[in-house]
Amino acid sequence: MSVKPTVLKLGGSVVTDKEKTLTPNLQAIERLANEISRANVSHLVLVHGGGSFGHPVAEQYGLAEGYKDSSQIIGFSKTRQAMTKLNKLIVDFLISHNIPAVEVQPSSCVVTKAGRIQTMEDRPLRKMLEMGFVPVLYGDVVLDSEAGFAILSGDQLVSSLAINLDARRIVVGVDVNGLYTGDPKTDSSARLIQHITLEELKNLEPLIEGSKVTDVTGGMLGKMFELKPAVEHGIQTIIVNATELNRVYKALKGEKVVGTIIER
Ligand code: IPE
């Protein structure tokens, strides 16, 4: 691809109310659609999380553990249903801001093996980017060649897409200012890390807390684990607070912004 794309992840804690099942955060989605539109990035791929849409249903049916019995089958459908609802909503907001967003269902183009992406049919997605569309993917429940099915986190998807598309930058929008030396929600002495290398990250891992609310894909630690391969690949990754005005906008523009830059 001639222009290197930017991959933006919007966490489920940003686009939904994580405490209330199946509740979108419409205000945040509207504001972020506006920021994305203003940033006007050429070649953008958007990936959003599941938040209170995907996680509670997936957990109810134990989907993260893979196929155990037939009672989970309807749970797979319900998780897909919840995720497509959220995805449609986000795509609608983007289109209303004149962003040529096109939904791409991960479960229709990805097969995992033991939870890791094994194959992904990405030709339509590449063509979409080339033509100026903004593909919108999400963390999803997908078919797994060993486990029957698996939860594919938006973060694993982001990292894999960024590597395969040779992305310029990954912007990860979450509900905290970035990576901290502790859990900023419970520990007032926790300090924001503005810049970190993979080597430094290794020493910090024992300090990074997993997210407390229902999250079948592992909170901040899981996020770091997933993003590492992309960083190793040389893709600059920045974590910003997407609940704060203009942080995503600035990160997309490559401007200086409060957040954590992770580099090789
Ligand atoms: C999870 O996606 C999707 C499902 C549970 C089906 P993510 O793991 O990317 O979602 P968030 O960002 O943590 O909510």
Side-chain angles (χ1 to χ4, degrees), residues 9 55 115-116 151-160 172 174 179 201 204-212 215-231 237 239 262:
K9 161 94 197 275
H55 288 287
R116 310 305 303 171
I151 304 292
L152 170 64
S153 74
D155 296 322
Q156 186 186 155
L157 198 54
V158 161
S159 204
S160 161
V172 182
V174 291
L179 210 52
L201 185 63
L204 198 78
E205 267 162 13
L207 296 175
I208 305 169
E209 291 278 320
S211 160
K212 303 272 184 298
D215 186 338
V216 292
T217 48
M220 202 46 116
L221 258 186
K223 203 173 282 305
M224 288 307 115
F225 171 79
E226 293 299 354
L227 293 172
K228 259 191 213 165
V231 178
T237 299
I239 302 178
I262 312 167

mmCIF file of all heavy atoms in Angstrom, residues 9 55 115-116 151-160 172 174 179 201 204-212 215-231 237 239 262:
data_model
loop_
_atom_site.group_PDB
_atom_site.id
_atom_site.type_symbol
_atom_site.label_atom_id
_atom_site.label_comp_id
_atom_site.label_asym_id
_atom_site.label_seq_id
_atom_site.Cartn_x
_atom_site.Cartn_y
_atom_site.Cartn_z
ATOM 1 N N LYS A 9 -7.900 2.229 17.664
ATOM 2 C CA LYS A 9 -8.765 1.369 18.476
ATOM 3 C C LYS A 9 -9.522 2.231 19.458
ATOM 4 O O LYS A 9 -8.942 3.081 20.146
ATOM 5 C CB LYS A 9 -7.926 0.339 19.249
ATOM 6 C CG LYS A 9 -8.632 -0.301 20.471
ATOM 7 C CD LYS A 9 -9.322 -1.614 20.188
ATOM 8 C CE LYS A 9 -10.337 -2.051 21.242
ATOM 9 N NZ LYS A 9 -9.860 -2.773 22.394
ATOM 10 N N HIS A 55 -18.921 -8.219 26.035
ATOM 11 C CA HIS A 55 -18.393 -8.950 27.196
ATOM 12 C C HIS A 55 -19.419 -9.680 28.064
ATOM 13 O O HIS A 55 -19.237 -10.857 28.364
ATOM 14 C CB HIS A 55 -17.535 -8.023 28.059
ATOM 15 C CG HIS A 55 -16.212 -7.690 27.426
ATOM 16 N ND1 HIS A 55 -15.184 -8.603 27.345
ATOM 17 C CD2 HIS A 55 -15.773 -6.566 26.818
ATOM 18 C CE1 HIS A 55 -14.151 -8.046 26.729
ATOM 19 N NE2 HIS A 55 -14.487 -6.809 26.390
ATOM 20 N N GLY A 115 -7.296 -19.362 19.902
ATOM 21 C CA GLY A 115 -7.470 -17.959 20.272
ATOM 22 C C GLY A 115 -6.588 -16.974 19.522
ATOM 23 O O GLY A 115 -6.732 -15.765 19.686
ATOM 24 N N ARG A 116 -5.667 -17.477 18.707
ATOM 25 C CA ARG A 116 -4.768 -16.586 17.966
ATOM 26 C C ARG A 116 -5.159 -16.574 16.490
ATOM 27 O O ARG A 116 -5.513 -17.629 15.945
ATOM 28 C CB ARG A 116 -3.301 -17.028 18.090
ATOM 29 C CG ARG A 116 -2.816 -17.287 19.505
ATOM 30 C CD ARG A 116 -3.011 -16.141 20.446
ATOM 31 N NE ARG A 116 -2.372 -14.919 19.996
ATOM 32 C CZ ARG A 116 -2.557 -13.729 20.572
ATOM 33 N NH1 ARG A 116 -3.373 -13.607 21.609
ATOM 34 N NH2 ARG A 116 -1.954 -12.667 20.107
ATOM 35 N N ILE A 151 -12.861 -15.778 21.615
ATOM 36 C CA ILE A 151 -13.045 -14.330 21.618
ATOM 37 C C ILE A 151 -11.780 -13.715 21.015
ATOM 38 O O ILE A 151 -10.681 -13.937 21.498
ATOM 39 C CB ILE A 151 -13.227 -13.780 23.053
ATOM 40 C CG1 ILE A 151 -14.382 -14.461 23.781
ATOM 41 C CG2 ILE A 151 -13.413 -12.263 23.013
ATOM 42 C CD1 ILE A 151 -15.758 -14.153 23.231
ATOM 43 N N LEU A 152 -11.994 -12.968 19.966
ATOM 44 C CA LEU A 152 -10.879 -12.247 19.347
ATOM 45 C C LEU A 152 -10.955 -10.815 19.853
ATOM 46 O O LEU A 152 -11.912 -10.097 19.564
ATOM 47 C CB LEU A 152 -11.034 -12.288 17.818
ATOM 48 C CG LEU A 152 -10.090 -11.379 17.021
ATOM 49 C CD1 LEU A 152 -8.644 -11.801 17.217
ATOM 50 C CD2 LEU A 152 -10.463 -11.410 15.542
ATOM 51 N N SER A 153 -9.970 -10.410 20.634
ATOM 52 C CA SER A 153 -10.026 -9.048 21.175
ATOM 53 C C SER A 153 -9.705 -8.039 20.083
ATOM 54 O O SER A 153 -8.960 -8.327 19.141
ATOM 55 C CB SER A 153 -9.045 -8.882 22.340
ATOM 56 O OG SER A 153 -7.723 -8.818 21.856
ATOM 57 N N GLY A 154 -10.274 -6.862 20.230
ATOM 58 C CA GLY A 154 -9.972 -5.782 19.304
ATOM 59 C C GLY A 154 -8.478 -5.494 19.288
ATOM 60 O O GLY A 154 -7.917 -5.126 18.257
ATOM 61 N N ASP A 155 -7.817 -5.698 20.435
ATOM 62 C CA ASP A 155 -6.385 -5.406 20.526
ATOM 63 C C ASP A 155 -5.551 -6.371 19.689
ATOM 64 O O ASP A 155 -4.607 -5.961 19.021
ATOM 65 C CB ASP A 155 -5.926 -5.426 21.987
ATOM 66 C CG ASP A 155 -6.603 -4.338 22.798
ATOM 67 O OD1 ASP A 155 -6.793 -3.234 22.257
ATOM 68 O OD2 ASP A 155 -6.961 -4.593 23.964
ATOM 69 N N GLN A 156 -5.903 -7.658 19.734
ATOM 70 C CA GLN A 156 -5.173 -8.626 18.900
ATOM 71 C C GLN A 156 -5.373 -8.274 17.421
ATOM 72 O O GLN A 156 -4.444 -8.332 16.623
ATOM 73 C CB GLN A 156 -5.659 -10.064 19.171
ATOM 74 C CG GLN A 156 -4.809 -11.078 18.437
ATOM 75 C CD GLN A 156 -5.304 -12.522 18.525
ATOM 76 O OE1 GLN A 156 -5.007 -13.321 17.652
ATOM 77 N NE2 GLN A 156 -6.033 -12.870 19.558
ATOM 78 N N LEU A 157 -6.595 -7.893 17.119
ATOM 79 C CA LEU A 157 -6.927 -7.531 15.749
ATOM 80 C C LEU A 157 -6.137 -6.299 15.296
ATOM 81 O O LEU A 157 -5.572 -6.265 14.199
ATOM 82 C CB LEU A 157 -8.438 -7.250 15.700
ATOM 83 C CG LEU A 157 -9.145 -7.247 14.366
ATOM 84 C CD1 LEU A 157 -8.892 -8.531 13.602
ATOM 85 C CD2 LEU A 157 -10.651 -7.063 14.597
ATOM 86 N N VAL A 158 -6.063 -5.292 16.161
ATOM 87 C CA VAL A 158 -5.333 -4.056 15.870
ATOM 88 C C VAL A 158 -3.877 -4.357 15.545
ATOM 89 O O VAL A 158 -3.326 -3.906 14.540
ATOM 90 C CB VAL A 158 -5.415 -3.078 17.082
ATOM 91 C CG1 VAL A 158 -4.327 -2.023 17.036
ATOM 92 C CG2 VAL A 158 -6.779 -2.426 17.142
ATOM 93 N N SER A 159 -3.249 -5.157 16.406
ATOM 94 C CA SER A 159 -1.845 -5.468 16.248
ATOM 95 C C SER A 159 -1.613 -6.220 14.939
ATOM 96 O O SER A 159 -0.714 -5.868 14.153
ATOM 97 C CB SER A 159 -1.424 -6.338 17.436
ATOM 98 O OG SER A 159 -0.076 -6.240 17.671
ATOM 99 N N SER A 160 -2.430 -7.214 14.694
ATOM 100 C CA SER A 160 -2.282 -8.028 13.491
ATOM 101 C C SER A 160 -2.527 -7.201 12.223
ATOM 102 O O SER A 160 -1.768 -7.278 11.256
ATOM 103 C CB SER A 160 -3.258 -9.198 13.607
ATOM 104 O OG SER A 160 -3.498 -9.778 12.379
ATOM 105 N N VAL A 172 -4.468 4.031 20.430
ATOM 106 C CA VAL A 172 -5.366 3.239 21.258
ATOM 107 C C VAL A 172 -6.089 4.177 22.228
ATOM 108 O O VAL A 172 -5.464 4.788 23.097
ATOM 109 C CB VAL A 172 -4.588 2.159 22.055
ATOM 110 C CG1 VAL A 172 -5.542 1.300 22.883
ATOM 111 C CG2 VAL A 172 -3.783 1.279 21.109
ATOM 112 N N VAL A 174 -8.457 4.747 25.268
ATOM 113 C CA VAL A 174 -9.001 4.051 26.442
ATOM 114 C C VAL A 174 -9.646 5.072 27.390
ATOM 115 O O VAL A 174 -9.813 6.240 27.028
ATOM 116 C CB VAL A 174 -7.884 3.245 27.166
ATOM 117 C CG1 VAL A 174 -7.439 2.068 26.326
ATOM 118 C CG2 VAL A 174 -6.685 4.133 27.506
ATOM 119 N N LEU A 179 -0.588 4.638 30.177
ATOM 120 C CA LEU A 179 -0.039 3.601 31.028
ATOM 121 C C LEU A 179 0.480 4.244 32.313
ATOM 122 O O LEU A 179 1.185 5.243 32.273
ATOM 123 C CB LEU A 179 1.119 2.961 30.259
ATOM 124 C CG LEU A 179 1.414 1.507 30.516
ATOM 125 C CD1 LEU A 179 0.164 0.667 30.354
ATOM 126 C CD2 LEU A 179 2.478 1.053 29.520
ATOM 127 N N LEU A 201 9.143 -1.689 29.476
ATOM 128 C CA LEU A 201 7.806 -2.228 29.728
ATOM 129 C C LEU A 201 7.882 -3.558 30.472
ATOM 130 O O LEU A 201 7.084 -3.844 31.361
ATOM 131 C CB LEU A 201 7.071 -2.412 28.392
ATOM 132 C CG LEU A 201 5.610 -2.845 28.464
ATOM 133 C CD1 LEU A 201 4.761 -1.792 29.154
ATOM 134 C CD2 LEU A 201 5.054 -3.098 27.065
ATOM 135 N N LEU A 204 8.038 -3.228 34.051
ATOM 136 C CA LEU A 204 6.863 -2.588 34.630
ATOM 137 C C LEU A 204 5.664 -3.533 34.733
ATOM 138 O O LEU A 204 4.745 -3.311 35.525
ATOM 139 C CB LEU A 204 6.499 -1.395 33.741
ATOM 140 C CG LEU A 204 5.599 -0.369 34.375
ATOM 141 C CD1 LEU A 204 6.427 0.492 35.303
ATOM 142 C CD2 LEU A 204 4.950 0.484 33.312
ATOM 143 N N GLU A 205 5.708 -4.602 33.963
ATOM 144 C CA GLU A 205 4.540 -5.470 33.851
ATOM 145 C C GLU A 205 3.924 -5.912 35.177
ATOM 146 O O GLU A 205 2.696 -5.917 35.303
ATOM 147 C CB GLU A 205 4.847 -6.681 32.961
ATOM 148 C CG GLU A 205 4.441 -6.389 31.540
ATOM 149 C CD GLU A 205 5.080 -7.300 30.513
ATOM 150 O OE1 GLU A 205 5.654 -8.329 30.900
ATOM 151 O OE2 GLU A 205 4.989 -6.955 29.325
ATOM 152 N N PRO A 206 4.745 -6.260 36.166
ATOM 153 C CA PRO A 206 4.117 -6.695 37.419
ATOM 154 C C PRO A 206 3.250 -5.609 38.065
ATOM 155 O O PRO A 206 2.379 -5.903 38.865
ATOM 156 C CB PRO A 206 5.305 -7.026 38.314
ATOM 157 C CG PRO A 206 6.483 -7.121 37.420
ATOM 158 C CD PRO A 206 6.191 -6.330 36.203
ATOM 159 N N LEU A 207 3.496 -4.345 37.683
ATOM 160 C CA LEU A 207 2.769 -3.228 38.310
ATOM 161 C C LEU A 207 1.448 -2.896 37.619
ATOM 162 O O LEU A 207 0.547 -2.326 38.214
ATOM 163 C CB LEU A 207 3.632 -1.956 38.304
ATOM 164 C CG LEU A 207 4.920 -1.992 39.125
ATOM 165 C CD1 LEU A 207 5.714 -0.720 38.909
ATOM 166 C CD2 LEU A 207 4.606 -2.179 40.601
ATOM 167 N N ILE A 208 1.360 -3.262 36.325
ATOM 168 C CA ILE A 208 0.169 -2.879 35.577
ATOM 169 C C ILE A 208 -1.008 -3.762 35.972
ATOM 170 O O ILE A 208 -0.942 -4.972 35.903
ATOM 171 C CB ILE A 208 0.408 -2.977 34.051
ATOM 172 C CG1 ILE A 208 1.631 -2.154 33.652
ATOM 173 C CG2 ILE A 208 -0.815 -2.509 33.279
ATOM 174 C CD1 ILE A 208 2.091 -2.395 32.231
ATOM 175 N N GLU A 209 -2.063 -3.104 36.407
ATOM 176 C CA GLU A 209 -3.234 -3.832 36.884
ATOM 177 C C GLU A 209 -4.128 -4.301 35.747
ATOM 178 O O GLU A 209 -4.278 -3.617 34.757
ATOM 179 C CB GLU A 209 -4.067 -2.892 37.773
ATOM 180 C CG GLU A 209 -3.404 -2.542 39.072
ATOM 181 C CD GLU A 209 -3.588 -3.626 40.117
ATOM 182 O OE1 GLU A 209 -4.685 -4.191 40.195
ATOM 183 O OE2 GLU A 209 -2.618 -3.904 40.845
ATOM 184 N N GLY A 210 -4.741 -5.448 35.910
ATOM 185 C CA GLY A 210 -5.801 -5.860 34.985
ATOM 186 C C GLY A 210 -7.048 -5.059 35.294
ATOM 187 O O GLY A 210 -7.223 -4.609 36.421
ATOM 188 N N SER A 211 -7.913 -4.878 34.290
ATOM 189 C CA SER A 211 -9.137 -4.105 34.505
ATOM 190 C C SER A 211 -10.085 -4.874 35.422
ATOM 191 O O SER A 211 -10.171 -6.088 35.369
ATOM 192 C CB SER A 211 -9.772 -3.825 33.147
ATOM 193 O OG SER A 211 -11.111 -3.501 33.294
ATOM 194 N N LYS A 212 -10.792 -4.157 36.294
ATOM 195 C CA LYS A 212 -11.626 -4.827 37.308
ATOM 196 C C LYS A 212 -13.009 -5.241 36.789
ATOM 197 O O LYS A 212 -13.539 -6.250 37.194
ATOM 198 C CB LYS A 212 -11.813 -3.900 38.524
ATOM 199 C CG LYS A 212 -10.508 -3.451 39.164
ATOM 200 C CD LYS A 212 -10.035 -4.441 40.223
ATOM 201 C CE LYS A 212 -8.791 -3.942 40.935
ATOM 202 N NZ LYS A 212 -7.644 -3.777 40.034
ATOM 203 N N ASP A 215 -14.354 -8.148 31.791
ATOM 204 C CA ASP A 215 -13.557 -8.003 30.586
ATOM 205 C C ASP A 215 -12.958 -9.372 30.291
ATOM 206 O O ASP A 215 -12.009 -9.795 30.930
ATOM 207 C CB ASP A 215 -12.455 -6.952 30.820
ATOM 208 C CG ASP A 215 -11.689 -6.649 29.537
ATOM 209 O OD1 ASP A 215 -11.713 -7.493 28.620
ATOM 210 O OD2 ASP A 215 -11.062 -5.582 29.466
ATOM 211 N N VAL A 216 -13.553 -10.054 29.316
ATOM 212 C CA VAL A 216 -13.079 -11.409 29.027
ATOM 213 C C VAL A 216 -11.745 -11.420 28.274
ATOM 214 O O VAL A 216 -11.217 -12.467 27.980
ATOM 215 C CB VAL A 216 -14.146 -12.254 28.260
ATOM 216 C CG1 VAL A 216 -15.335 -12.552 29.145
ATOM 217 C CG2 VAL A 216 -14.591 -11.576 26.973
ATOM 218 N N THR A 217 -11.223 -10.242 27.948
ATOM 219 C CA THR A 217 -9.966 -10.235 27.195
ATOM 220 C C THR A 217 -8.799 -9.570 27.934
ATOM 221 O O THR A 217 -7.787 -9.241 27.328
ATOM 222 C CB THR A 217 -10.151 -9.602 25.802
ATOM 223 O OG1 THR A 217 -10.847 -8.372 25.937
ATOM 224 C CG2 THR A 217 -10.918 -10.521 24.875
ATOM 225 N N GLY A 218 -8.930 -9.325 29.240
ATOM 226 C CA GLY A 218 -7.728 -9.077 30.041
ATOM 227 C C GLY A 218 -7.234 -7.678 30.382
ATOM 228 O O GLY A 218 -6.106 -7.540 30.836
ATOM 229 N N GLY A 219 -8.046 -6.619 30.211
ATOM 230 C CA GLY A 219 -7.643 -5.293 30.687
ATOM 231 C C GLY A 219 -6.338 -4.787 30.117
ATOM 232 O O GLY A 219 -5.942 -5.146 29.019
ATOM 233 N N MET A 220 -5.679 -3.911 30.864
ATOM 234 C CA MET A 220 -4.479 -3.208 30.391
ATOM 235 C C MET A 220 -3.293 -4.156 30.122
ATOM 236 O O MET A 220 -2.546 -3.973 29.159
ATOM 237 C CB MET A 220 -4.107 -2.136 31.427
ATOM 238 C CG MET A 220 -3.270 -0.989 30.934
ATOM 239 S SD MET A 220 -3.747 -0.210 29.365
ATOM 240 C CE MET A 220 -4.172 1.429 29.872
ATOM 241 N N LEU A 221 -3.136 -5.156 30.971
ATOM 242 C CA LEU A 221 -2.039 -6.116 30.769
ATOM 243 C C LEU A 221 -2.214 -6.871 29.467
ATOM 244 O O LEU A 221 -1.269 -7.040 28.693
ATOM 245 C CB LEU A 221 -2.020 -7.122 31.921
ATOM 246 C CG LEU A 221 -0.986 -6.930 32.998
ATOM 247 C CD1 LEU A 221 -1.024 -8.100 33.975
ATOM 248 C CD2 LEU A 221 0.416 -6.811 32.398
ATOM 249 N N GLY A 222 -3.452 -7.300 29.237
ATOM 250 C CA GLY A 222 -3.773 -8.004 27.998
ATOM 251 C C GLY A 222 -3.501 -7.115 26.803
ATOM 252 O O GLY A 222 -2.991 -7.551 25.769
ATOM 253 N N LYS A 223 -3.831 -5.842 26.954
ATOM 254 C CA LYS A 223 -3.623 -4.857 25.890
ATOM 255 C C LYS A 223 -2.134 -4.766 25.515
ATOM 256 O O LYS A 223 -1.773 -4.816 24.348
ATOM 257 C CB LYS A 223 -4.120 -3.499 26.412
ATOM 258 C CG LYS A 223 -4.484 -2.516 25.339
ATOM 259 C CD LYS A 223 -5.121 -1.267 25.915
ATOM 260 C CE LYS A 223 -6.567 -1.422 26.317
ATOM 261 N NZ LYS A 223 -7.431 -1.899 25.248
ATOM 262 N N MET A 224 -1.291 -4.663 26.543
ATOM 263 C CA MET A 224 0.163 -4.552 26.300
ATOM 264 C C MET A 224 0.688 -5.797 25.606
ATOM 265 O O MET A 224 1.465 -5.725 24.663
ATOM 266 C CB MET A 224 0.902 -4.373 27.640
ATOM 267 C CG MET A 224 0.709 -3.028 28.261
ATOM 268 S SD MET A 224 1.115 -1.754 27.067
ATOM 269 C CE MET A 224 -0.453 -1.024 26.872
ATOM 270 N N PHE A 225 0.214 -6.956 26.081
ATOM 271 C CA PHE A 225 0.642 -8.224 25.505
ATOM 272 C C PHE A 225 0.326 -8.248 24.008
ATOM 273 O O PHE A 225 1.145 -8.672 23.196
ATOM 274 C CB PHE A 225 -0.064 -9.377 26.238
ATOM 275 C CG PHE A 225 0.139 -10.715 25.580
ATOM 276 C CD1 PHE A 225 1.322 -11.418 25.761
ATOM 277 C CD2 PHE A 225 -0.855 -11.264 24.773
ATOM 278 C CE1 PHE A 225 1.509 -12.650 25.136
ATOM 279 C CE2 PHE A 225 -0.678 -12.496 24.147
ATOM 280 C CZ PHE A 225 0.508 -13.192 24.331
ATOM 281 N N GLU A 226 -0.862 -7.768 23.663
ATOM 282 C CA GLU A 226 -1.285 -7.799 22.267
ATOM 283 C C GLU A 226 -0.558 -6.775 21.409
ATOM 284 O O GLU A 226 -0.281 -7.019 20.243
ATOM 285 C CB GLU A 226 -2.801 -7.576 22.156
ATOM 286 C CG GLU A 226 -3.651 -8.686 22.732
ATOM 287 C CD GLU A 226 -3.430 -10.044 22.055
ATOM 288 O OE1 GLU A 226 -2.689 -10.113 21.054
ATOM 289 O OE2 GLU A 226 -4.000 -11.029 22.538
ATOM 290 N N LEU A 227 -0.277 -5.602 21.979
ATOM 291 C CA LEU A 227 0.313 -4.527 21.175
ATOM 292 C C LEU A 227 1.807 -4.724 20.908
ATOM 293 O O LEU A 227 2.348 -4.206 19.932
ATOM 294 C CB LEU A 227 0.074 -3.173 21.845
ATOM 295 C CG LEU A 227 -1.404 -2.732 21.893
ATOM 296 C CD1 LEU A 227 -1.557 -1.490 22.744
ATOM 297 C CD2 LEU A 227 -1.956 -2.493 20.483
ATOM 298 N N LYS A 228 2.445 -5.500 21.784
ATOM 299 C CA LYS A 228 3.895 -5.700 21.687
ATOM 300 C C LYS A 228 4.390 -6.101 20.292
ATOM 301 O O LYS A 228 5.344 -5.504 19.796
ATOM 302 C CB LYS A 228 4.332 -6.751 22.697
ATOM 303 C CG LYS A 228 4.951 -6.159 23.929
ATOM 304 C CD LYS A 228 5.572 -7.298 24.702
ATOM 305 C CE LYS A 228 5.477 -7.033 26.181
ATOM 306 N NZ LYS A 228 5.745 -8.263 26.938
ATOM 307 N N PRO A 229 3.784 -7.108 19.662
ATOM 308 C CA PRO A 229 4.304 -7.512 18.341
ATOM 309 C C PRO A 229 4.313 -6.354 17.334
ATOM 310 O O PRO A 229 5.247 -6.245 16.529
ATOM 311 C CB PRO A 229 3.327 -8.605 17.885
ATOM 312 C CG PRO A 229 2.695 -9.109 19.135
ATOM 313 C CD PRO A 229 2.663 -7.964 20.089
ATOM 314 N N ALA A 230 3.313 -5.494 17.393
ATOM 315 C CA ALA A 230 3.262 -4.359 16.464
ATOM 316 C C ALA A 230 4.386 -3.372 16.778
ATOM 317 O O ALA A 230 5.034 -2.829 15.880
ATOM 318 C CB ALA A 230 1.903 -3.674 16.532
ATOM 319 N N VAL A 231 4.620 -3.142 18.073
ATOM 320 C CA VAL A 231 5.695 -2.233 18.479
ATOM 321 C C VAL A 231 7.043 -2.818 18.052
ATOM 322 O O VAL A 231 7.900 -2.119 17.510
ATOM 323 C CB VAL A 231 5.659 -1.970 20.010
ATOM 324 C CG1 VAL A 231 6.804 -1.065 20.432
ATOM 325 C CG2 VAL A 231 4.321 -1.369 20.422
ATOM 326 N N THR A 237 3.173 3.304 18.744
ATOM 327 C CA THR A 237 1.862 3.074 19.333
ATOM 328 C C THR A 237 1.646 4.086 20.438
ATOM 329 O O THR A 237 2.522 4.315 21.263
ATOM 330 C CB THR A 237 1.807 1.632 19.892
ATOM 331 O OG1 THR A 237 2.015 0.737 18.787
ATOM 332 C CG2 THR A 237 0.472 1.315 20.543
ATOM 333 N N ILE A 239 -1.108 5.399 23.456
ATOM 334 C CA ILE A 239 -2.334 5.165 24.222
ATOM 335 C C ILE A 239 -2.807 6.517 24.751
ATOM 336 O O ILE A 239 -2.038 7.240 25.378
ATOM 337 C CB ILE A 239 -2.073 4.212 25.409
ATOM 338 C CG1 ILE A 239 -1.507 2.887 24.892
ATOM 339 C CG2 ILE A 239 -3.351 3.965 26.205
ATOM 340 C CD1 ILE A 239 -1.162 1.907 25.984
ATOM 341 N N ILE A 262 4.555 4.155 23.081
ATOM 342 C CA ILE A 262 5.330 2.929 23.232
ATOM 343 C C ILE A 262 6.129 2.721 21.962
ATOM 344 O O ILE A 262 5.570 2.737 20.860
ATOM 345 C CB ILE A 262 4.430 1.706 23.468
ATOM 346 C CG1 ILE A 262 3.404 2.011 24.563
ATOM 347 C CG2 ILE A 262 5.245 0.482 23.861
ATOM 348 C CD1 ILE A 262 2.288 0.997 24.632
#
